[in-house]
Amino acid sequence: AKAKPAAKAAAKASLPVKEPLKELNVSVFTWNHAQCSPSKADCQVTPAPNDTPDDAPMSLYSTSPHQFLLEHSDSSVIVVGVQEVEDLKPRRHEGSRSKALKRVMLSTLGGEYAPVVMTSLGAIHLYVFVRKDAIPHLKRSSIVTWEVACGIGNVVQNKGALGVRLTVAGKSLMFFTAHLAAHQSKIAERNADFWRIMKVELSMLDDTDQGEVVDPVPLLEFDQLLHARAARDAFGDFEEGPIRFPPTFKFNKRTDAYDTSRKRRIPAWTDRILFKARRCADNQLNPIKLKEYGCITHARHSDHRPVFARFEIPGDGA
């Protein structure tokens, strides 16, 4: 029997009311693991004493990736992209490092967040967590993931990208994590991969000649990603926050020293987070406010440093 209009109205009235989100805070995190599991030190925090001098090395007291997740627990959405989680040897089952990474994130965020995307392409992983009070604002049917391999023959999965699109609080969000061709001479390959992926590419190296690096800031003048964006060769429509952190690659593992091997690779900002706002029906750009953009210098197990960004986006109640 069909429900009477009054019964339908009563049932509808008994449903929990979805309060509008005035702000949609989004935190994004990227980290190249260099096929190594983070050390215990990388997953701990060394708090700065009250009497720490202002000019103390930042790396002594910055937060670890594990702490990053906790410190960003006020965000509605947390996105984690990880590269080189495992080596690429053929395996029938998920690798131990991948399992450990999932356990860390689920144990850290599981109480307040729901994992809505956990996907991988070879050693590239992408995770999206939505805070439980924001779940009513998540349009589950909007979640779409995809992958693009950019290794040899565009088949091998050592390089490539993972993407996800979802709608939260009426805002359509799209995220990519990418791991592209390495080395200073591979600009054309990286640009070609960008157009293959058609969205986001996060690995560009510098143009400078090899030599002793004293002050890393002038290297930005030669940054290939900045040049590619300016020339609109790649990422021309994307934005990036001011880079006020040191180059994130290449370090001697487990140290704060840049590459001292025979190759002496030039320090570079190879780990980046870019963003782009889509125009609304009235041709106005959806406002995206970048609140933080930085790196976590305390995490030393890899030859890369992890990078994070925090965004504020008006919700459906703004």
Side-chain angles (χ1 to χ4, degrees):
K2 293 183 178 180
K4 296 181 180 179
K8 286 184 178 180
K12 187 174 182 180
S14 65
L15 294 175
V17 178
K18 182 176 73 175
E19 296 293 335
L21 282 179
K22 293 184 178 180
E23 288 183 351
L24 180 62
N25 291 310
V26 179
S27 290
V28 182
F29 180 60
T30 181
W31 193 9
N32 186 308
H33 275 198
Q35 301 178 16
C36 300
S37 296
S39 67
K40 184 176 291 186
D42 282 349
C43 293
Q44 294 176 341
V45 179
T46 303
N50 294 331
D51 58 351
T52 301
D54 293 337
D55 59 351
M58 186 179 184
S59 60
L60 292 179
Y61 307 112
S62 55
T63 57
S64 73
H66 187 260
Q67 185 70 5
F68 165 90
L69 298 176
L70 295 175
E71 291 188 345
H72 287 245
S73 59
D74 61 336
S75 293
S76 307
V77 180
I78 292 181
V79 183
V80 181
V82 188
Q83 308 83 38
E84 293 193 55
V85 176
E86 306 276 3
D87 55 39
L88 282 177
K89 67 181 180 182
R91 51 168 56 87
R92 293 186 177 182
H93 305 290
E94 184 179 13
S96 58
R97 296 190 187 104
S98 300
K99 292 179 180 178
L101 178 63
K102 287 182 180 178
R103 283 197 299 269
V104 167
M105 290 191 295
L106 289 172
S107 64
T108 305
L109 297 174
E112 298 297 328
Y113 285 80
V116 297
V117 172
M118 303 187 84
T119 185
S120 63
L121 172 70
I124 308 168
H125 291 238
L126 179 63
Y127 307 101
V128 180
F129 293 84
V130 176
R131 202 174 61 215
K132 290 183 177 178
D133 63 356
I135 285 292
H137 300 271
L138 170 65
K139 185 179 179 181
R140 291 190 176 273
S141 63
S142 71
I143 301 175
V144 179
T145 63
W146 62 96
E147 60 186 45
V148 181
C150 295
I152 298 173
N154 289 329
V155 174
V156 179
Q157 299 177 352
N158 63 319
K159 306 294 181 184
L162 288 167
V164 59
R165 185 179 71 240
L166 69 162
T167 300
V168 183
K171 303 297 181 182
S172 180
L173 308 176
M174 187 180 296
F175 303 98
F176 284 81
T177 184
H179 188 214
L180 303 187
H183 305 306
Q184 187 176 354
S185 61
K186 301 295 185 180
I187 301 175
E189 288 85 347
R190 285 190 291 273
N191 287 349
D193 286 344
F194 166 80
W195 292 111
R196 173 172 166 74
I197 295 168
M198 290 303 293
K199 290 294 178 182
V200 177
E201 181 269 313
L202 302 174
S203 181
M204 290 281 184
L205 305 180
D206 300 297
D207 296 319
T208 51
D209 294 329
Q210 293 189 10
E212 188 70 22
V213 177
V214 178
D215 182 4
V217 175
L219 288 175
L220 277 174
E221 179 183 350
F222 303 96
D223 181 74
Q224 292 179 355
L225 177 53
L226 295 179
H227 284 216
R229 289 178 56 215
R232 302 189 71 79
D233 290 334
F235 304 99
D237 294 330
F238 286 81
E239 297 181 58
E240 182 180 22
I243 297 176
R244 298 193 178 99
F245 50 89
T248 58
F249 177 86
K250 175 181 174 54
F251 289 89
N252 296 333
K253 291 182 180 179
R254 294 173 290 279
T255 77
D256 289 324
Y258 289 107
D259 187 16
T260 57
S261 70
R262 179 179 54 83
K263 295 181 179 179
R264 294 185 65 80
R265 290 194 179 96
I266 299 166
W269 288 268
T270 63
D271 308 274
R272 311 281 276 272
I273 295 173
L274 282 74
F275 59 97
K276 178 181 177 181
R278 190 173 64 175
R279 292 190 177 276
C280 305
D282 58 1
N283 206 35
Q284 296 295 315
L285 283 176
N286 281 314
I288 299 177
K289 182 179 180 181
L290 177 64
K291 302 183 71 175
E292 290 184 79
Y293 189 30
C295 75
I296 299 174
T297 56
H298 177 75
R300 302 184 183 93
H301 95 280
S302 170
D303 53 4
H304 292 255
R305 293 294 188 263
V307 171
F308 68 90
R310 186 197 296 254
F311 300 93
E312 180 182 294
I313 306 169
D316 50 10

